Amino acid sequence: MSDLIKKTILAGLGALSLTKEKAEEITKDLIKRGEVAKTEEAKFVKDLMERAEKNRVEVEKKIEKIVEKTLIKMNVPTRKELDVLKAKVDKLSKK
């Protein structure tokens, strides 16, 4: 099966929302159309799921970086900074 077809399927579906059931449904449709051999069904589904997971992880990392940069630009304190401040306040309150 060509990588182009796999990439097209993932792009068309939105790799973030690809479920195993949907991958199996797509594969069965491709088998009916003669684009995937029946003997390749399990491997094709597995490949689709692996690619979808890889794409999901990559998208999440990109989103995290964008959010982090945005928070820095907005001068929003991080969880760590808030925890340090809370510890200082707690220490001062005990005095």
Side-chain angles (χ1 to χ4, degrees), residues 51-65:
R51 283 180 184 259
E53 178 61 19
K54 181 181 174 188
N55 289 345
R56 185 191 62 77
V57 169
E58 288 175 8
V59 168
E60 283 180 1
K61 286 179 184 178
K62 288 178 183 178
I63 290 171
E64 285 175 10
K65 286 180 183 179

Side-chain angles (χ1 to χ4, degrees), residues 66-83 85:
I66 291 169
V67 169
E68 185 178 329
K69 285 180 182 179
T70 302
L71 292 175
I72 289 169
K73 284 181 182 178
M74 294 175 62
N75 202 24
V76 175
T78 64
R79 170 65 63 195
K80 184 177 178 181
E81 292 170 326
L82 291 174
D83 289 343
L85 285 174

Side-chain angles (χ1 to χ4, degrees), residues 19-75:
T19 64
K20 185 173 183 193
E21 293 78 20
K22 188 66 178 172
E24 289 170 347
E25 181 183 319
I26 291 166
T27 304
K28 287 180 195 281
D29 185 50
L30 290 172
I31 289 169
K32 285 179 187 174
R33 293 191 296 175
E35 295 180 38
V36 174
K38 179 71 175 162
T39 57
E40 295 180 14
E41 182 176 8
K43 183 182 181 322
F44 187 77
V45 170
K46 182 182 175 207
D47 289 348
L48 277 178
M49 295 306 298
E50 287 173 357
R51 283 180 184 259
E53 178 61 19
K54 181 181 174 188
N55 289 345
R56 185 191 62 77
V57 169
E58 288 175 8
V59 168
E60 283 180 1
K61 286 179 184 178
K62 288 178 183 178
I63 290 171
E64 285 175 10
K65 286 180 183 179
I66 291 169
V67 169
E68 185 178 329
K69 285 180 182 179
T70 302
L71 292 175
I72 289 169
K73 284 181 182 178
M74 294 175 62
N75 202 24

